[in-house]
Amino acid sequence: MKRIGVLVFPGFQILDLAAIAAFELANMHLERPLYRVEMLSETGGPVASSSGVTVDSKRYTASKFDTLMMTGSLTIAPTSEALCKILRSGRRNARRVASICTGAFGLADAGLLDGRRVTTHWAFAQELQRSRPLAKVQPDRIFINDESLWTSAGMTAGIDLVLALVEEDLGVDMARLIAKKLVVYHRRAGGQSQFSALLELEPKSDRIQLSLAYARAHLREGLAVEELAEVAHLSPRQFSRAFKAETGQSPAQAVENLRVEAARALIDEGRLALGVVARETGFGDPERMRRAFLRTLGQPPQSVRRVARQQAMAA
């Protein structure tokens, strides 16, 4: 029996609990209780979520858990010392420690993130990095597994994380079957983006928006700064300065992100060889595309293709 402890606290986000359905469905398909999910809190008893829905909980004791999961909340507040002690105890006594969404701040307050690759909801990633400078925060990831520490992005990304935990325990076929029951894709790859490249950039002026639209429509071309500046009717120096001020990225970084996004979409379709995808999206060759994928997504195109094929088989 694998005990799954889910830590809740006053004001936790109720949607985070949706992910535990994957454990329940695993038990159903196995026709035996492999997972036992327990709601845990500092004191035990009813705990109200931010929406007002209350769940019952047990008081945490330092007994053995297979997995200890920390829920998140809509706003960030310091984690109580009692909860920090629970998380540190779980680090010693549980096989895996995980967080959903802003639950990563609880792990940070407990001192569990230093030196680790982690993620959280994109809107709070910079705050997490500022509060824990020794953590390696990767804001554009769905979930991250760093040895026995697991963290996920916002809210529904917790489902992807739990499916990955089930896959680690029971294999890809069981995870795929549960995903179908949940009516979700066989989990998104951990390196998949939380949001689109253009949404991330959010340019303010028409000139920068026009240059980005041009870049997206002409990814096969060189897209030098001079070319984009001409579209925006600015000098290259003015364009680069304005682009950085409005988007927080250099033109070269933005173009690379657009190319990675377009290449990933073509890879997901599964019709083109990777060399063709590289040419169609302006990378020129597979090696250059591979390096860009590693910088942006943390995984090579081959991994993205493998997950896409698994999803196609599930469908």
Side-chain angles (χ1 to χ4, degrees), residues 48-127:
S49 67
S50 58
S51 64
V53 176
T54 298
V55 300
D56 198 17
S57 68
K58 299 178 181 178
R59 183 176 182 179
Y60 174 84
T61 58
S63 54
K64 293 287 185 180
F65 282 88
D66 177 82
T67 306
L68 188 65
M69 300 181 65
M70 179 67 175
T71 57
S73 60
L74 294 177
T75 58
I76 306 302
T79 309
S80 70
E81 182 54 35
L83 271 180
C84 287
K85 288 181 179 178
I86 290 172
L87 289 167
R88 286 191 287 266
S89 173
R91 190 79 180 96
R92 296 189 299 270
N93 297 317
R95 181 169 67 97
R96 301 179 292 208
V97 174
S99 66
I100 297 175
C101 194
T102 58
F105 283 83
L107 304 188
D109 290 342
L112 304 186
L113 300 190
D114 290 354
R116 298 304 190 100
R117 295 181 301 108
V118 299
T119 192
T120 188
H121 191 292
W122 63 266
F124 296 97
Q126 289 186 352
E127 184 176 347

Side-chain angles (χ1 to χ4, degrees), residues 39-52:
M39 295 292 115
L40 306 173
S41 65
E42 293 181 35
T43 60
V47 179
S49 67
S50 58
S51 64

Side-chain angles (χ1 to χ4, degrees), residues 212-285:
L212 281 168
Y214 176 88
R216 195 175 192 184
H218 297 82
L219 290 177
R220 292 187 64 179
E221 300 178 15
L223 296 178
V225 170
E226 291 77 10
E227 183 178 357
L228 297 176
E230 184 177 351
V231 173
H233 302 293
L234 294 169
S235 71
R237 184 176 179 182
Q238 287 175 318
F239 174 75
S240 295
R241 187 164 55 242
F243 194 99
K244 180 75 171 181
E246 291 191 26
T247 68
Q249 298 183 19
S250 71
Q253 288 173 319
V255 168
E256 179 173 278
N257 289 337
L258 290 171
R259 284 180 167 142
V260 167
E261 186 173 72
R264 188 175 62 200
L266 291 176
I267 290 171
D268 285 344
E269 290 177 6
R271 295 183 293 105
L272 302 177
L274 293 181
V276 176
V277 171
R279 290 194 299 273
E280 288 295 317
T281 53
F283 285 113
D285 63 80

Side-chain angles (χ1 to χ4, degrees), residues 138-141 191-193 197 200 253 256-261 264 283 289-299:
Q138 300 182 17
D140 198 22
R141 300 288 296 274
Q192 187 167 330
S193 176
E200 180 185 5
Q253 288 173 319
E256 179 173 278
N257 289 337
L258 290 171
R259 284 180 167 142
V260 167
E261 186 173 72
R264 188 175 62 200
F283 285 113
M289 182 171 71
R290 186 188 72 84
R291 292 196 299 268
F293 267 58
L294 289 174
R295 281 192 296 270
T296 306
L297 303 180
Q299 60 180 339

